[in-house]
Amino acid sequence: MFEGIVQAFHDAVSGFSNAVFVSVIKEDRYTYLVDGLLVSLQLTLIAAAIGVVIGLLVAVAKLQNLDSPSKNAFTRGLRKWIVGIANGYVSIIRGTPAVVQLLVIYFIIFGRVLQPIFPGVPDIMIASIAFGINSGAYVAEIIRAGIMAVDKGQTEAGRSLGLSSVTTMMFIVIPQAVKNVLPALVNELIVLFKETSVAGYIGLMDLTKGATTIGAVAYDYMIPLLCAAYIYFIITTVMTAGMNKLERRMRRGD
Amino acid sequence: MIEVQNLHKYFGELEVLKGVNVHINRGDCVCVVGPSGGGKSTFLRCINLLEVPTKGDIVIEGVSAMQNMRHIDTLREKVGMVFQQFNLFPHMSVLKNVTFAPVKLKKMTKEQAEKRGMELLERVGLAEKANEYPNRLSGGQKQRVAIARALAMEPDVLLFDEPTSALDPEMVGEVLEVMKQLAEAKTTMIVVTHEMGFAREVGNRVLFMDGGIVAEEGSPDDVFNHPKSERLKQFLSKVL
């Protein structure tokens, strides 16, 4: 009976190690995971850069004061449009799933509308843009909250020195706003990184798609998917640790 | 040099200023006193257009502010302001706080501005704090830096909005001392204050504002020793 248990245990271990061998090592299948991770990271970084730029612009646009005395009807009208577009953009992005946005941008925007103007944009660029546009809406809301939390006296101090509203915003308000919301921005980066796991929908070989591809050829999804999950977890944990460190250092600076 | 003409300001339905006329001469140190809610701060904030007047005008060196809202930034360069809450830029060193605006607005090169900034910090007694950040300073020190920052733009007039009201009592003196030196150097100043001693000693004119108008004005002696209106007598009996 004791031998039976040992035998079963032995079988289980050898079965498991065999499964690992088939999923990860045989025919260099681990390269699907490594290459996939690189694609996921690349998507995340480019999308984050795009997202921060969009987020800053949209945050500032949303904070346009429609009541402020404007010089003429044209700038007043323009302001109204800018605020409208910024609000619409944020509502649409937050109200639809990222996968749908990705598919729309891939198949409709780049596949149809922009096809004659920009043919042959690499898929990874299209996906980066799509994720960037998605992330921008969330970044905009984070930064908007950050800007609103900066004391109004800061703007007044800047303006009273003769600085323009743009200079005051760029050099006095936004640096303080971003500093205040840095933890939330890192959190958004983590969300974005996980969000890129849907890139397989347009045929990109990201980490998740790499794992399911192994699953298909090895007839076993368990090991590759667990590996992918583990890799996602490690990366996000590192990001969280980085964020905590940043937060601590910033608190010291205050 | 500054003409405040028939200044009215509404906040929604509330009329805060009900027609203020004041003429400010070069070298004046005008102290504005009066009860809270009397329109003192709003009056001051209208002068550099942090609040846009509803009616009336501010004429600075012959230039109408209301007709030049487009060039509001250039007008503000000439009108420095010191706030109750200091409003130093927390992400910049003390020296950078002082030099940022002159450099950004291309009034001076970085080197010139830093030289001038150090002179100004010297003047307010904080040269050794030049490389500290504002959060390392006491309230009184912050306010003195704020004064140096406003001076760095070489304004024609300095506005003080209750500069000592947010300070611990033992720090009030150091700030008033700096302001006194400025007044003695014939800097044009308008000071909204609750420091009656300062108004009496340093101001050459005192405005008593109540209910959105200048209810009484005159030399410190007139206002403090020979008040005419009942309202001013009442006010003085409470604060002196």
Side-chain angles (χ1 to χ4, degrees):
Chain A
M1 162 131 148
F2 180 69
E3 277 182 2
I5 295 171
V6 170
Q7 187 58 46
F9 185 71
H10 183 263
D11 286 352
V13 169
S14 74
F16 181 74
S17 65
N18 190 47
V20 169
F21 174 77
V22 170
S23 299
V24 183
I25 296 168
K26 195 178 167 195
E27 294 167 7
D28 283 347
R29 283 175 186 155
Y30 67 89
T31 55
Y32 284 107
L33 295 175
V34 175
D35 294 348
L37 175 63
L38 291 178
V39 169
S40 293
L41 288 175
Q42 202 179 334
L43 279 172
T44 308
L45 290 179
I46 303 175
I50 297 172
V52 166
V53 173
I54 295 179
L56 275 171
L57 293 175
V58 172
V60 173
K62 280 191 80 164
L63 287 169
Q64 284 296 312
N65 183 4
L66 289 176
D67 301 328
S68 83
S70 194
K71 297 93 199 172
N72 55 50
F74 175 73
T75 49
R76 240 193 334 264
L78 190 70
R79 257 188 205 177
K80 233 177 216 168
W81 271 97
I82 290 173
V83 174
I85 290 170
N87 282 331
Y89 160 72
V90 172
S91 316
I92 291 171
I93 296 297
R94 295 213 300 183
T96 55
V99 196
V100 178
Q101 292 161 18
L102 175 67
L103 292 174
V104 166
I105 288 172
Y106 183 74
F107 286 110
I108 303 177
I109 308 285
F110 278 91
R112 286 259 180 96
V113 184
L114 293 179
Q115 173 64 21
I117 318 167
F118 301 112
V121 180
D123 287 358
I124 190 157
M125 257 337 279
I126 298 178
S128 299
I129 292 169
F131 288 123
I133 289 173
N134 174 272
S135 183
Y138 296 94
V139 172
E141 287 302 281
I142 293 169
I143 291 180
R144 189 172 70 101
I147 289 175
M148 290 199 308
V150 173
D151 184 43
K152 208 165 139 266
Q154 291 291 315
T155 310
E156 291 186 347
R159 299 305 304 276
S160 79
L161 289 164
L163 301 170
S164 70
S165 55
V166 175
T167 308
T168 306
M169 190 48 98
M170 268 174 55
F171 294 95
I172 293 176
V173 178
I174 289 182
Q176 295 180 54
V178 168
K179 192 181 156 193
N180 290 341
V181 297
L182 216 47
L185 286 175
V186 175
N187 195 44
E188 169 56 25
L189 187 69
I190 291 171
V191 171
L192 177 62
F193 174 61
K194 291 188 292 178
E195 199 83 75
T196 60
S197 61
V198 299
Y201 273 83
I202 62 166
L204 277 176
M205 269 294 182
D206 75 311
L207 179 51
T208 304
K209 185 71 178 171
T212 54
T213 306
I214 298 174
V217 294
Y219 302 109
D220 174 19
Y221 283 93
M222 186 180 80
I223 301 295
L225 281 177
L226 286 180
C227 285
Y230 185 64
I231 295 170
Y232 279 115
F233 181 73
I234 293 289
I235 303 274
T236 53
T237 306
V238 169
M239 286 179 181
T240 308
M243 174 176 77
N244 289 338
K245 207 171 170 187
L246 206 71
E247 238 180 322
R248 265 201 305 279
R249 187 185 300 173
M250 268 167 37
R251 215 170 293 144
R252 229 179 301 140
D254 273 336
Chain B
M1 62 172 290
I2 296 182
E3 279 285 345
V4 179
Q5 298 169 349
N6 190 30
L7 189 65
H8 288 258
K9 175 69 187 178
Y10 286 85
F11 289 114
E13 291 289 295
L14 186 69
E15 188 175 24
V16 180
L17 295 178
K18 301 173 180 172
V20 176
N21 290 286
V22 179
H23 181 86
I24 285 145
N25 302 304
R26 186 173 294 281
D28 267 355
C29 177
V30 180
C31 291
V32 186
V33 301
S36 300
K40 305 185 299 290
S41 285
T42 309
F43 163 69
L44 202 67
R45 290 163 59 84
C46 278
I47 294 178
N48 72 352
L49 302 165
L50 281 180
E51 304 292 351
V52 181
T54 313
K55 208 164 83 185
D57 201 355
I58 313 284
V59 181
I60 302 169
E61 302 274 21
V63 181
S64 153
M66 292 303 277
Q67 280 161 36
N68 289 283
M69 288 300 279
R70 221 174 250 279
H71 309 293
I72 194 169
D73 296 334
T74 330
L75 280 173
R76 284 201 183 113
E77 284 180 27
K78 296 185 191 162
V79 185
M81 178 123 178
V82 175
F83 299 86
Q84 185 176 350
Q85 298 295 342
F86 332 124
N87 296 342
L88 292 183
F89 306 135
H91 58 304
M92 297 180 186
S93 71
V94 163
L95 185 60
K96 185 89 189 286
N97 261 280
V98 177
T99 59
F100 181 76
V103 173
K104 203 83 225 163
L105 294 166
K106 308 232 185 319
K107 279 179 77 92
M108 299 179 199
T109 65
K110 193 159 176 279
E111 290 70 33
Q112 284 171 324
E114 278 175 3
K115 189 162 163 287
R116 174 93 180 113
M118 285 311 292
E119 285 168 16
L120 288 168
L121 289 175
E122 193 80 54
R123 199 162 148 193
V124 299
L126 288 170
E128 79 280 7
K129 302 280 187 192
N131 295 315
E132 295 278 10
Y133 280 81
N135 61 356
R136 308 266 301 175
L137 304 181
S138 72
Q141 291 171 332
K142 281 182 194 167
Q143 196 59 299
R144 286 187 280 152
V145 173
I147 293 172
R149 178 176 70 178
L151 286 172
M153 287 301 293
E154 303 184 329
D156 294 337
V157 55
L158 262 186
L159 311 177
F160 292 83
D161 188 4
E162 302 196 18
T164 58
S165 298
L167 295 177
D168 289 345
E170 73 258 40
M171 294 177 179
V172 171
E174 60 190 68
V175 172
L176 292 182
E177 190 52 42
V178 168
M179 290 167 63
K180 193 173 159 190
Q181 282 169 24
L182 288 173
E184 279 162 3
K186 288 291 166 205
T187 312
T188 314
M189 303 159 58
I190 306 175
V191 186
V192 168
T193 185
H194 292 297
E195 296 291 331
M196 297 304 150
F198 177 84
R200 191 193 281 256
E201 190 192 343
V202 182
N204 69 328
R205 287 168 63 197
V206 177
L207 306 183
F208 172 65
M209 283 191 78
D210 184 32
I213 53 164
V214 178
E216 198 164 333
E217 74 164 295
S219 69
D221 183 52
D222 290 341
V223 171
F224 289 111
N225 300 331
H226 311 290
K228 291 191 275 287
S229 66
E230 248 342 277
R231 189 66 190 91
L232 178 54
K233 281 177 194 160
Q234 217 178 38
F235 175 72
L236 289 174
S237 73
K238 280 185 195 144
V239 296
L240 289 181

